[in-house]
Amino acid sequence: MSCKAFINGKIFTSNKDMPYAESFIVENGIINWIGKEKDMPAINCEKIDLQGRRVIPGFIDSHMHPVILADCAQKISCLPPVVRSIEELIGVIKEESKTKKPKEWIQGWGYDEEKFAEHRAPNRWDLDKASTDHPIELLRSCSHVRSVNSRALELAGITKDTPDPSGGEIDRNENGEPTGILRENARHLAGKILPVKSKEQQVQGLVELGKLLLSQGIVAVTDMGNLDTVDYFDYYIEASKKGFKQELGMFYIWDLIRKNSDFKWDQERADRRKQIHMNGIKVIADGSVGGRTAWMYQPYKGSANEYGISVCTDEEIDSAMDFCKENKCQLSFHAMGMRTIDRIMKRTYQEKPWVEGLPHIRIEHVTDPSEEAIKKAADSKIAFVTQSIFMYSEIESYMNNLGLEWIERIYPIQHIINSGVKVALSTDAPATSWAIPSDPFSNIKCAVTRYAYDGTDCGRNNCIDIETAIRMYTKEAAEISGFEKLGQLKEGYKGSFVLLSEDILNIAGEDIDRVYVEGTYINGDCVYNKK
């Protein structure tokens, strides 16, 4: 029998019935007592002194893309401080080309045109300056836009005569020539010809990513679907055997699997008690604010007719819902813009819940919800998962595309909570313009302060307090994503928690991002120690 008594801590539990404690006992991975040290029962346990440090439950990132994030680590980062302009990017790509074999792909990730000195996306002619021999592909921070060079366009068969695919746009110049910028579903035209890593390479990438996430205090993640047809479930199983320690729930992109006759929902794999499990189906319903493709009622700043893009049909929505009802699994919708959120609510809010133990429907991103959508979500027990890190890190694009007055209204997290909707905070890593996109602390900082990284005031009336932010990253994330016995430090729950370098509950909001994780524990065992 394994028994450990953790004493002398400043513990925030995320449990509203007992928000604070000093000590707790973990027996066989489960907390069997928590409270004030003077009340601790006499028990023969190993004692671990927390030395007065702040302890919180382990973070749960309820919306990220681990396979893509692990892959990004092997590509060019198009972000500051390494790259601040298209000219610098061209130089970095030229250097990268020297390490490549002839005609081998060069790939990059994370660019945000508003962070470049030129304030535009790199096009085919820019990338051709770096190389016309190597095909080049760069993924925008939102993952909804690709920039490619002429060689990549040629390989993808994209010409002046190629029509826009349904739900996508091929950018063209005044002569109708493709510029190399592929938006929404058009990005898949290039995605289909990108090089594929071996299973062994991807598994090892996940193992290495798991180590990074442990250093950030992340004990569970939800894979919100990868934009290809590979089922990565077995990859995660292999990674877990090699040291990937996080619990993980998988979503599948409906547009990619609904016509695949080989895909079947496996109830055994959907057992949420297992470390790796299937969670549900995801429908992508619009784009991103940064890419001006989130579907809105009002046009984007500087335009009279840019409202964003609706990228799914009513049939896709209804068929996904039918599938999830039949298989008793969760249904997720990517919906950033108000028009998209309203559309999803209109088609789903009257449905009776079909899943036990977690919300039957969750809406991802929820950037600009209407009052009607918030009320319908509260009434129908539909959950929201949102990312204030977008506003924090992509402020240049948000200012250019929305303007400050609109920005001050978006991500109204406290109002959503007050209205009775369950909300989780997550990163969508790597789909954001931040050097370490899975970092929880920058995300929390923006939710608490409503300041972007450059100091822009994004609307102080929508701030939340630090305890609420932590609960959104722990308790609420676990309950929305279906991670059983995680997200709170309370009796009967897993002993998964983190030790912080500073008391995050008692420092200024602007200092939250200087906090780091000193130790991460899963089921009472130390799995990361900064020292």
Side-chain angles (χ1 to χ4, degrees):
M1 181 181 73
S2 170
C3 182
K4 298 174 183 175
F6 296 89
I7 63 172
N8 187 29
K10 290 189 289 188
I11 302 162
F12 177 71
T13 67
S14 286
N15 173 12
K16 289 188 175 181
D17 294 331
M18 182 195 287
Y20 314 108
E22 297 172 352
S23 302
F24 57 97
I25 297 171
V26 178
E27 192 170 359
N28 295 327
I30 303 298
I31 297 171
N32 66 11
W33 177 88
I34 184 168
K36 293 184 178 180
E37 195 160 331
K38 66 180 181 63
D39 299 325
M40 179 183 287
I43 188 168
N44 185 23
C45 276
E46 175 190 359
K47 286 193 175 182
I48 298 173
D49 190 349
L50 299 172
Q51 300 176 342
R53 288 176 292 183
R54 174 60 67 187
V55 175
I56 63 174
F59 291 121
I60 296 165
D61 196 319
S62 52
H63 184 131
M64 70 183 310
H65 302 272
V67 172
I68 302 174
L69 182 58
D71 187 49
C72 286
Q74 309 301 318
K75 298 178 181 179
I76 294 170
S77 172
C78 304
L79 293 165
V82 177
V83 173
R84 295 186 177 88
S85 68
I86 292 174
E87 285 303 310
E88 288 183 349
L89 177 60
I90 292 169
V92 171
I93 296 173
K94 284 182 178 179
E95 289 300 311
E96 181 73 8
S97 69
K98 296 176 183 178
T99 69
K100 297 290 185 180
K101 298 176 183 177
K103 303 187 185 305
E104 187 177 359
W105 279 85
I106 297 173
Q107 294 178 266
W109 74 279
Y111 83 80
D112 180 343
E113 59 272 16
E114 291 305 320
K115 292 188 184 299
F116 291 148
E118 298 86 353
H119 296 291
R120 61 176 178 82
N123 58 42
R124 65 188 290 187
W125 299 286
D126 296 317
L127 301 181
D128 286 349
K129 293 177 183 177
S131 177
T132 55
D133 179 47
H134 297 278
I136 300 170
E137 178 262 347
L138 307 177
L139 188 65
R140 195 185 182 280
S141 62
C142 64
S143 295
H144 288 253
V145 182
R146 278 191 167 103
S147 290
V148 300
N149 69 344
S150 296
R151 178 64 177 146
L153 286 175
E154 179 186 343
L155 292 173
I158 300 172
T159 69
K160 186 176 183 178
D161 299 322
T162 303
D164 288 346
S166 175
E169 292 179 0
I170 301 170
D171 276 19
R172 306 171 195 271
N173 67 7
E174 63 275 9
N175 298 318
E177 291 288 345
T179 67
I181 299 171
L182 309 173
R183 302 183 186 276
E184 298 304 331
N185 289 347
R187 73 193 186 279
H188 301 317
L189 300 176
K192 290 186 293 187
I193 62 167
L194 292 175
V196 178
K197 286 188 174 182
S198 70
K199 179 178 179 179
E200 292 74 20
Q201 289 173 314
Q202 291 183 306
V203 167
Q204 189 56 40
L206 290 171
V207 173
E208 295 304 314
L209 174 65
K211 296 175 184 177
L212 171 65
L213 299 180
L214 290 177
S215 75
Q216 297 169 335
I218 299 170
V219 301
V221 296
T222 302
D223 183 330
M224 287 310 300
N226 295 283
L227 302 176
D228 56 48
T229 55
V230 178
D231 184 348
Y232 288 105
F233 191 93
D234 289 333
Y235 291 47
Y236 283 115
I237 295 294
E238 285 297 312
S240 70
K241 294 175 182 178
K242 295 183 177 183
F244 183 87
K245 297 186 180 300
Q246 284 78 13
E247 293 190 30
L248 183 136
M250 282 193 66
F251 277 78
Y252 293 84
I253 304 294
W254 183 238
D255 186 51
L256 295 179
I257 59 99
R258 69 193 185 108
K259 297 176 182 177
N260 180 0
S261 59
D262 293 332
F263 182 85
K264 298 290 186 296
W265 192 259
D266 188 328
Q267 293 296 348
E268 184 176 345
R269 288 188 165 193
D271 185 348
R272 298 198 305 274
R273 294 170 297 180
K274 295 182 177 181
Q275 179 193 356
I276 312 297
H277 56 268
M278 298 169 72
N279 247 41
I281 298 298
K282 179 183 176 185
V283 175
I284 300 177
D286 69 352
S288 69
V289 170
R292 297 172 78 95
T293 52
W295 198 30
M296 306 289 192
Y297 287 117
Q298 68 184 87
Y300 284 93
K301 182 182 175 183
S303 171
N305 55 14
E306 277 188 279
Y307 294 91
I309 302 174
S310 175
V311 300
C312 70
T313 64
D314 288 346
E315 187 276 332
E316 286 179 66
I317 296 172
D318 295 342
S319 60
M321 190 152 49
D322 289 342
F323 180 94
C324 291
K325 287 179 184 177
E326 179 182 350
N327 292 284
K328 306 298 182 186
C329 62
Q330 202 173 40
L331 177 57
S332 162
F333 291 96
H334 169 121
M336 291 193 82
M338 184 181 291
R339 195 169 182 177
T340 306
I341 299 167
D342 280 354
R343 177 193 182 201
I344 297 303
M345 285 298 174
K346 183 178 179 180
R347 299 195 75 83
T348 63
Y349 84 100
Q350 291 181 320
E351 298 290 334
K352 294 181 179 179
W354 59 78
V355 181
E356 292 185 7
L358 73 167
H360 60 303
I361 294 174
R362 46 183 280 179
I363 311 286
E364 314 300 320
H365 309 309
V366 195
T367 303
D368 191 21
S370 68
E371 285 297 322
E372 182 180 8
I374 293 171
K375 183 179 185 304
K376 285 180 177 177
D379 292 343
S380 55
K381 307 302 180 186
I382 292 174
F384 289 171
V385 179
T386 194
Q387 297 83 22
S388 54
I389 187 68
F390 288 167
M391 182 171 58
Y392 179 83
S393 66
E394 298 181 43
I395 187 59
E396 300 94 342
S397 294
Y398 274 56
M399 287 292 287
N400 185 61
N401 296 344
L402 302 181
L404 186 58
E405 183 179 346
W406 196 345
I407 288 172
E408 290 175 344
R409 301 196 306 266
I410 61 177
Y411 301 111
I413 295 173
Q414 188 62 61
H415 174 58
I416 294 171
I417 293 172
N418 292 344
S419 300
V421 182
K422 287 185 73 66
V423 190
L425 200 59
S426 67
T427 62
D428 197 17
T432 190
S433 299
W434 204 238
I436 308 177
S438 54
D439 174 33
F441 297 105
S442 299
N443 201 4
I444 291 172
K445 177 181 177 178
C446 183
V448 170
T449 67
R450 292 283 298 197
Y451 284 115
Y453 84 95
D454 66 353
T456 300
D457 184 342
C458 297
R460 300 280 296 164
N461 60 310
N462 277 316
C463 293
I464 62 175
D465 63 76
I466 183 63
E467 293 188 4
T468 297
I470 293 173
R471 279 194 295 270
M472 290 172 64
Y473 237 121
T474 55
K475 174 183 180 292
E476 301 303 319
E479 292 177 354
I480 289 172
S481 300
F483 291 111
E484 297 192 350
K485 306 302 182 182
L486 271 182
Q488 299 179 70
L489 299 177
K490 62 185 291 188
E491 291 182 18
Y493 275 60
K494 296 171 184 176
S496 298
F497 59 94
V498 296
L499 310 180
L500 300 180
S501 62
E502 297 185 55
D503 186 355
I504 196 170
L505 269 59
N506 290 294
I507 61 173
E510 59 266 24
D511 294 330
I512 289 173
D513 59 345
R514 81 181 187 198
V515 177
Y516 58 86
V517 172
E518 290 191 338
T520 302
Y521 287 74
I522 290 181
N523 299 333
D525 294 328
C526 183
V527 292
Y528 169 77
N529 188 328
K530 185 171 177 61
K531 295 179 181 179

